Amino acid sequence: MFSKACEYGIKAAIFIAVNSSENKRVSPKEISEEIDSPQAFTAKILQALVRHQVVKSIRGAYGGFEIEKDKIATIKLAQIVYAIDGDNIYKGCGLGLHTCNENHPCPVHDKFKVVREELREMLENTSLEQLALDIKSGVSFLKI
Amino acid sequence: MFSKACEYGIKAAIFIAVNSSENKRVSPKEISEEIDSPQAFTAKILQALVRHQVVKSIRGAYGGFEIEKDKIATIKLAQIVYAIDGDNIYKGCGLGLHTCNENHPCPVHDKFKVVREELREMLENTSLEQLALDIKSGVSFLKI
DNA sequence: TTTATTTCGGATAAATTTATCCTATTTGTA
DNA sequence: TACAAATAGGATAAATTTATCCGAAATAAA
Ligand code: FES
Ligand code: FES
């Protein structure tokens, strides 16, 4: 469904959100340990999230990654997925036709678009804040 | 969403169904031309579909691929996806945790499983026959 | 200003997926 | 039986994704 990079990106963003809500910056090392991902690869993905302004990086001593507290509630999963995997998952044809087009539909178009639309809404309506809360309260988990 | 192999497999199965309903066997060459896919790779995927008994192959002169007419209505997309991509798309965790587990959910579990469930139902309830009919009547398309 | 710390970014490697090529095997027909 | 036509399958290559490594650049503190 999502690429590994995207899975790591989502989990990393949640972990950063959890920590930022407690005024703590985190390093790629901490992040990759907490989400069980390869460190250098995770760092690359974090760079992408920085470029797309999902997370903020502070270089140098006492630096790390953070998300401004008042942004945590506004950042949606969709932004993260878009930053890493692009928009093919929302817009692309399920059978790989060049474009998903009502006027030139593939055989599964009508049925597929319903599922894809539901996925899109889910991603657009789910904020980092909601996900971070469940991690904080121990209801959900980032690894294993 | 689906792998290229799976996209080709679905389109190939639909094309075979269309032809089998008219008592025509088709070759990998015809198939790959009609669904716009690499021929040798498509042939490999067809082998997998044969092993999973989704399509039938007849070797030797006058051979080709076919689906027994009365099976066309019973074959569901789910069988094809399962044969090629496995069941991770139905059962796997959206964030890549080892197992999707109610007792150890990832942050998106509750929301993701709804979408995944809808996808599963769609795949399990959509038959080759329905899809082949739209191709026959020119309502849907296998390429471009 | 020097030093320690930390992210950035380019180069490279490993693994997986996608794609190609060639030969073996099967099968119907002459 | 010999031949032609067709799928099966192994070996290999190309492309993409995933992962690692290392030096450059930035920053805070001493
Ligand atoms: S054309 Fe294939 S999903 Fe719309
Ligand atoms: S645990 Fe992640 S989707 Fe169920």
Side-chain angles (χ1 to χ4, degrees), chain B residues 93-95 99-101 104-106 109 112 116:
Chain B
C93 168
L95 295 186
T99 63
C100 172
N101 182 338
H104 188 87
C106 74
H109 173 81
F112 184 77
R116 194 183 53 188

Side-chain angles (χ1 to χ4, degrees), chain A residues 3 7 15 28 34-35 46 50 64 77 82 90 106 113 133:
Chain A
S3 68
E7 291 177 4
F15 180 67
E34 286 304 317
I35 73 176
L46 289 168
V50 169
L77 277 188
Y82 180 78
Y90 312 119
C106 74
K113 74 175 176 189
L133 275 176

Side-chain angles (χ1 to χ4, degrees), chain B residues 21-65:
Chain B
S21 74
E22 294 164 358
N23 301 304
K24 279 189 296 193
R25 285 179 191 152
V26 287
S27 66
K29 183 159 182 290
E30 289 175 85
I31 294 170
S32 59
E33 275 165 5
E34 286 303 319
I35 72 176
D36 199 21
S37 68
Q39 184 180 329
F41 188 45
T42 306
K44 290 271 189 258
I45 297 159
L46 289 167
Q47 285 181 40
L49 292 181
V50 169
R51 280 194 295 275
H52 282 81
Q53 300 170 348
V54 173
V55 308
K56 202 174 144 187
S57 71
I58 293 91
R59 295 167 77 152
Y62 295 82
F65 293 88

Side-chain angles (χ1 to χ4, degrees), chain A residues 93-95 99-101 104-106 109 112 116:
Chain A
C93 168
L95 295 186
T99 63
C100 173
N101 181 338
H104 189 87
C106 74
H109 174 81
F112 184 76
R116 194 182 53 188

Side-chain angles (χ1 to χ4, degrees), chain B residues 85 89 98 102 104 117 139:
Chain B
D85 280 354
I89 201 166
H98 289 336
E102 293 287 344
H104 188 87
E117 209 45 23
V139 170

